[in-house]
Amino acid sequence: MENSAKTTLSRPLKPFNVIYWFQRSLILFSIVTLFLPSFNPGRIVDKISKYCSIFTAAVSFENLTSKIGQGFTKEWVTEGTFRLVQFSSMALILGIVVCCIGGCMSLGNNRMRIRGIIFPISGAIIMLGGMFGVHTAYGRVTAELIASGKEKKLGIRTEDGSFYFMLVLAIAILVLSIILLIGELKCEKEQKMEMLERYKLFLYMLPILLVAFIFSYLPLWGWRYAFFDYKAGADLTMDTFVGFKWFKFLFESEVTRNDIFRVLKNTLAMSGLGILTSWFPIAFAIFLSEIRSTGFRKTVQILTTIPNFISWVLVYAIAFSLFSTEGFVNDVIEQITGVAANTNYLQNDSLSWLKMLLWGTWKGLGWSAIVYIAAISGVDQSLYEAAMVDGAGRFKRMVHITVPALVPTYCVMLMLSIANILSNGMEQYLVFSNAINKDTLEVLDLYVYNLGIGGGQIPLSTVVSMAKSLISVTLLFVANNVSKLIRGESII
């Protein structure tokens, strides 16, 4: 299909092809500017945090005005001015999103490119509208502060480099899009809009790539806190730069070393139990696929998958209603034995690892089995028919056909589990932990949370988190090499 598409889809002329790539690069970079505070043109006064990005200003009025409260109560400035900044930031985001749609459509044929050029033109105009709103907000806040005589309290600012950069960026996208529109109108148009298969596949992956960039790679910028003596709310300056002080402290402090060894023991124990029982979803998927009744099979699958979508807070609520002092279990024991039972099974540290494993298995078994159910559905049915002809029973067909077909999928999942051996998550252990079982339930992720958010030791928690991430990446490559050595196949 792709070969035939290559012969029928028109390509832009070479000069316009260069302009297209330049336009796409600007649009792609404009997405990055939404999340980098240094490109936010909406810091109309000094009191607006310099860590406030365009995205933050658009979605959170509280973060935008967190330090302006006194200015509102004493009527130095009006709330409407800052609402204008928020709406202008929303316009910038909307304009960039519209430009992205046009950038994606520019990967198609001539007809699709012509339709697509309308989007970046419209998006650039929306961006310019947002910039005009920001410019108006600068004028309004300046007039308000001068009228109240409090310009030094909030700090009057004028349009700086970030403002003019975003303005030039919007104008450049608009001009390039108009040039491309003029050039495309001179080309012959196809009957319908088409796109090469490889571009379609790329666009399918693009949302996942953006989510991974925003939530997995962009936060790596926070690693810089590990090299500063940082307190919440303070600024990062060279006066607070301490180099590798917190890295050394991690190993020099006996208390910290003991804590690290303790949480590592808990983390490795829970991950080890998870790896030892990682075959449970396979067994469940195999037995589920062997159920003859379609309705019953679907019912079981739905009932076992639903717990995955229940939050750990609700899971703990269920556990509390069952195993607390006045829970269901104690009521049953009291009714059977006639003796008052008041044991709180959640407030002791006996068998804590096993309890967490059982709750995690109950919650995730059905969801984890989905990938294996999909793999089973892809097995060639002629293999089962041939085995039946040879006299193989149901159990032998499972052992000699189904299980071998699932081994490659299981190996990939196992290697990923080994790579994530230090990542147990935090929510489950946070809701189930208490003063009695904390020492046995505090895993590495929860320790980082308690250290940074609970204890305020943000630099030290960042160091621990960095070490965890680097070790996990190393384990991933080790697992990949082991897979290549044993199976002859790599997972990355």
Side-chain angles (χ1 to χ4, degrees):
M1 181 183 294
E2 184 171 342
N3 291 335
S4 61
K6 287 181 179 179
T7 60
T8 59
L9 265 63
S10 64
R11 306 301 303 159
L13 299 176
K14 191 171 184 180
F16 292 103
N17 194 35
V18 175
I19 297 176
Y20 266 118
W21 283 109
F22 191 47
Q23 179 212 43
R24 293 166 189 155
S25 300
L26 291 180
I27 293 174
L28 184 62
F29 183 72
S30 67
I31 299 175
V32 179
T33 61
L34 295 178
F35 305 98
L36 297 181
S38 56
F39 291 98
N40 182 12
R43 292 190 63 237
I44 57 177
V45 293
D46 288 335
K47 282 295 185 178
I48 294 179
S49 174
K50 63 181 180 180
Y51 302 113
C52 179
S53 63
I54 297 174
F55 182 81
T56 303
V59 301
S60 176
F61 186 74
E62 288 75 15
N63 285 334
L64 177 64
T65 60
S66 58
K67 299 180 180 180
I68 317 295
Q70 188 180 22
F72 292 149
T73 56
K74 297 188 176 182
E75 298 183 349
W76 299 341
V77 292
T78 60
E79 183 177 323
T81 302
F82 292 86
R83 287 292 181 186
L84 180 59
V85 174
Q86 184 182 28
F87 293 143
S88 300
S89 300
M90 292 179 183
L92 287 173
I93 294 176
L94 177 61
I96 290 174
V97 170
V98 173
C99 289
C100 289
I101 296 173
C104 295
M105 294 181 68
S106 68
L107 298 173
N109 60 2
N110 180 261
R111 178 173 290 275
M112 182 176 286
R113 291 196 300 270
I114 292 177
R115 301 286 179 86
I117 290 174
I118 304 299
F119 285 93
I121 292 177
S122 303
I125 294 174
I126 296 173
M127 291 175 64
L128 290 174
M131 296 306 298
F132 178 76
V134 172
H135 174 72
T136 303
Y138 270 106
R140 287 177 58 174
V141 76
T142 300
E144 291 168 356
L145 289 176
I146 292 176
S148 61
K150 300 296 183 180
E151 56 268 23
K152 292 184 179 179
K153 287 288 186 178
L154 299 183
I156 290 180
R157 292 173 59 89
T158 57
E159 292 88 341
D160 56 6
S162 61
F163 177 87
Y164 291 108
F165 178 86
M166 294 300 296
L167 183 63
V168 171
L169 181 63
I171 294 175
I173 294 175
L174 178 61
V175 171
L176 291 176
S177 301
I178 293 175
I179 294 174
L180 291 170
L181 178 61
I182 295 172
E184 290 290 355
L185 290 175
K186 297 179 180 179
C187 299
E188 182 180 354
K189 293 185 271 300
E190 291 84 357
Q191 293 294 326
K192 60 180 181 178
M193 295 189 294
E194 293 184 39
M195 184 181 293
L196 292 177
E197 191 67 24
R198 62 174 179 267
Y199 293 143
K200 290 181 182 179
L201 295 175
F202 170 74
L203 294 179
Y204 292 151
M205 293 176 56
L206 188 59
I208 305 300
L209 295 176
L210 289 176
V211 170
F213 171 77
I214 294 171
F215 293 103
S216 298
Y217 291 98
L218 198 60
L220 294 180
W221 179 241
W223 280 8
R224 67 191 191 280
Y225 291 111
F227 303 97
F228 291 84
D229 195 3
Y230 177 77
K231 299 295 182 182
D235 293 332
L236 297 181
T237 64
M238 291 309 298
D239 294 334
T240 59
F241 181 77
V242 294
F244 291 95
K245 168 189 172 181
W246 296 108
F247 292 85
K248 297 177 182 177
F249 181 82
L250 186 63
F251 299 99
E252 291 176 351
S253 173
E254 183 178 356
V255 175
T256 305
R257 285 202 310 270
N258 293 336
D259 284 341
I260 292 295
F261 290 144
R262 174 178 58 82
V263 298
L264 278 178
K265 179 182 71 174
N266 297 335
T267 302
L268 294 175
M270 292 305 306
S271 296
L273 290 174
I275 291 175
L276 289 176
T277 57
S278 60
W279 57 272
F280 283 5
I282 292 183
F284 179 74
I286 292 175
F287 290 129
L288 190 64
S289 64
E290 292 295 322
I291 297 177
R292 297 301 186 189
S293 174
T294 303
F296 181 69
R297 182 171 65 247
K298 290 183 177 180
T299 301
V300 173
Q301 187 175 357
I302 291 173
L303 292 177
T304 54
T305 304
I306 286 177
N308 179 74
F309 301 98
I310 301 175
S311 70
W312 278 110
V313 175
L314 294 179
V315 172
Y316 180 78
I318 296 172
F320 187 82
S321 65
L322 291 175
F323 300 107
S324 65
T325 304
E326 299 178 355
F328 176 77
V329 172
N330 283 324
D331 288 343
V332 172
I333 294 175
E334 183 175 347
Q335 291 179 8
I336 294 175
T337 62
V339 180
N342 57 359
T343 303
N344 193 331
Y345 299 97
L346 300 177
Q347 292 290 332
N348 60 71
D349 60 349
S350 61
L351 303 176
S352 295
W353 295 342
L354 180 60
K355 294 175 185 176
M356 293 300 100
L357 175 67
L358 293 176
W359 281 112
T361 302
W362 171 79
K363 190 173 187 294
L365 181 63
W367 178 260
S368 301
I370 289 178
V371 64
Y372 299 110
I373 294 173
I376 291 173
S377 64
V379 178
D380 189 356
Q381 295 300 312
S382 63
L383 296 176
Y384 292 105
E385 295 172 359
M388 292 176 64
V389 172
D390 291 339
R394 178 179 293 187
F395 182 76
K396 287 189 176 180
R397 293 198 299 271
M398 286 191 292
V399 172
H400 296 288
I401 298 177
T402 307
V403 172
L406 296 179
V407 167
T409 303
Y410 174 72
C411 288
V412 172
M413 303 301 291
L414 180 62
M415 294 299 107
L416 293 177
S417 298
I418 293 174
N420 290 316
I421 197 170
L422 297 181
S423 300
N424 303 101
M426 179 192 72
E427 295 86 355
Q428 177 184 3
Y429 307 97
L430 177 63
V431 298
F432 276 93
S433 65
N434 52 62
I436 299 175
N437 61 18
K438 178 182 177 182
D439 288 343
T440 56
L441 283 191
E442 191 174 31
V443 294
L444 197 56
D445 289 326
L446 181 57
Y447 177 71
V448 170
Y449 172 81
N450 290 334
L451 198 64
I453 305 301
Q457 301 185 56
I458 296 177
L460 187 59
S461 65
T462 305
V463 169
V464 177
S465 181
M466 285 177 61
K468 190 200 81 167
S469 299
L470 295 174
I471 292 173
S472 296
V473 172
T474 303
L475 289 174
L476 176 61
F477 282 101
V478 171
N480 182 65
N481 290 331
V482 170
S483 176
K484 186 183 295 185
L485 181 65
I486 297 176
R487 301 173 54 241
E489 297 180 2
S490 61
I491 58 177
I492 57 175

